[in-house]
Amino acid sequence: MDVLVCLKRVPLAGGTLILTPDAKDIETKHLGFGISPHEENAVEAGVQLVEQMGGSLTLLTLGPSDAEEQLRAQLAIGATRAVLLETDGQEWDPQATAAALVDAINAEETKFDLIIFGAESVDSAGYQIHVRVAHALNRPIVTNVKAMKIENGIASCERVVATGREHYEAPLPAIVTVRDGLNIPRYPSVPGRMQARKKPVDMKKAEPSVPKLEKLNLTIAPSKSTGAEILGNGAEAVPALVEVLKKIGAL
Amino acid sequence: MILVLVDHDRGELDPLSLRALTAARKLGQDVEAVVIGKDGAGVAGVVGEYGAKVLHVAAHADITDYTPQASGRSLKDLVGKLNPAAVIAAGSPRGNEQLAHLAAFLDAPMASDCSSITLGTPHVVQRARWAGNLIEEANVHSPLLIASIFPFSVESESANASAATVSEFEPTLEASDTVVRILSRDSGESKSGGVTLTDAKVIISGGRGVGGPEGFSKLEELASLMEGTVGCSRVVTASGWRPHAEQVGQTGSKVAPDLYIACGISGAMQHIAGMKNSKTIVVINTDPEAPILNYADYAIIGDLHQVLPALTSAVRAAKG
Ligand SMILES: Cc1cc2nc3c(=O)[nH]c(=O)nc-3n(C[C@H](O)[C@H](O)[C@H](O)COP(=O)(O)OP(=O)(O)OC[C@H]3O[C@@H](n4cnc5c(N)ncnc54)[C@H](O)[C@@H]3O)c2cc1C
Ligand SMILES: Nc1ncnc2c1ncn2[C@@H]1O[C@H](COP(=O)(O)O)[C@@H](O)[C@H]1O
């Protein structure tokens, strides 16, 4: 079973976001980088499949040369090798990204049985790069997968919706996009980290094209600026809260 | 003309589609709607009420349930026939997925999670990034705008118009379009009182401050008393204290109940993204500086393990 996982380097922002002076990006001077949780689940799923069925797990990203850091971190989890399509650091629009990924996948000797994506990238959340890749490669795609089994050449997938679970199947070679909750990603072991340093990362230059979805600027979404009304401390404040609940009609 | 993809599940309308229709009406052009699958024809009344003059129904023997690529193909056929200025859908998993198939068929750009749209050459959109914490302004260089609507950026407003005229068409599907479709369903794990997170009017949500799986019984008790349900932060699901289905936030569920009580949750951006549209937000936290206070309406500073039991008794007393 040969598996490919596509991932994206993103800043790890937890608290307040700050913009760069030109308002084109978020200020990352004080932030670490990682990949989105969905993609961590994708790598974990790939590692598990290769553990069970043999084969290989390749990682693919389009991004700045610094994205090697994210690839090495995921190689430490158990991936076999990685391919980095190197940009000048600018984010590409979804169509250009998908086209570059497709070219890279077609250039590979391995014909991947399964390609796993995150359901959406955590920063730009375009919900589309994977579908575009699926069309270009003429493969079936199941999105938003929360549980998956590979049996008899079929990816059997579950999607969780408000009313329960939906069941889908895709014959291999296929593409799936996965969500946080699919599995619990493991931490890299010390030997895993050591091995990751020696695993191959192919660097290729990627030439940008003119974006059709052209980012102009960013603004921070407004929040409730008034802040909370403090009702008091500890259990003594409960009567005040009960009054509030009555006022808003919750009681 | 603006074409709005209206989503349904076995004939039942997705209410987010009404928000998409409302957003489409604001673009100042005629609005027409499309549903995929014969089962969808029953929505003609409400989509008409919300301003669509025509409801196009993609009817095909091989579309018997949700089949995302066939939806993309049907939309492509319809776009070819009607030449709309924009195709719009709700920014839901299904809305985004079906639009992505359309965009891939046409090799055209798609802007997801838009909170504002200005048609033109180029089209200009504002779209959510980082789960709505950032707004991106972007140009869309394409005659046809394909855009989904950020769910919480617009409330649905009726246009008080009459039912849409139904116009059935048969899309020309290829075999590959129907490979991936819903084969079967299971109903969800039955939750407290059968209320799901996205439907709940009251959510009692817990974070790391709850301290472990046992502590959640206090939240459950209050939730069932108030006919609500329990939610949680990602720390809680990642620690295995609660099932992932209860996670609120960027990678969990996005919720907007009447009342959200956040207990022992600090208010990381990714959590806020999932609950900031709640009508009233109450915080119970030991830390008066917790970032979640910036998003809350009311707060009690204190230990949730003392506050919650007292609150539960008081609510029980008030209910008589
Ligand atoms: C890409 C990405 C996606 C993410 N998606 C999500 C998501 O969907 N949902 C989500 O929730 N998180 C998400 N996260 C994680 C998020 O960044 C935070 O780590 C997480 O929300 C923190 O959870 P918490 O508030 O429970 O824990 P903490 O941040 O540790 O906060 C615990 C809080 O409990 C308070 N407390 C402690 N003891 C008590 C007590 N006895 N009584 C009252 N208060 C007490 C503390 O003062 C503190 O404020 C995501 C992160 C990333 C990077
Ligand atoms: N620059 C990139 N390089 C490789 N994969 C990517 C890149 N950007 C996005 N992806 C993949 O495509 C998925 C969907 O991205 P998006 O369409 O932006 O929501 C992500 O979860 C990743 O798996």
Side-chain angles (χ1 to χ4, degrees), chain A residues 6-8 36 39 60-62 97 101 117-121 124-130:
Chain A
C6 292
L7 39 90
K8 180 182 187 184
S36 80
E39 291 153 33
L60 172 60
T61 193
L62 173 106
T97 306
L101 297 180
F117 285 81
E120 76 264 2
S121 57
S124 94
Y127 301 94
Q128 55 186 277
I129 288 171
H130 30 61

Side-chain angles (χ1 to χ4, degrees), chain A residues 82-104:
Chain A
V83 179
L84 171 55
L85 308 174
E86 202 185 322
T87 64
D88 62 354
Q90 297 300 311
E91 186 185 48
W92 289 17
D93 83 331
Q95 273 172 287
T97 306
L101 297 180
V102 166
D103 287 346

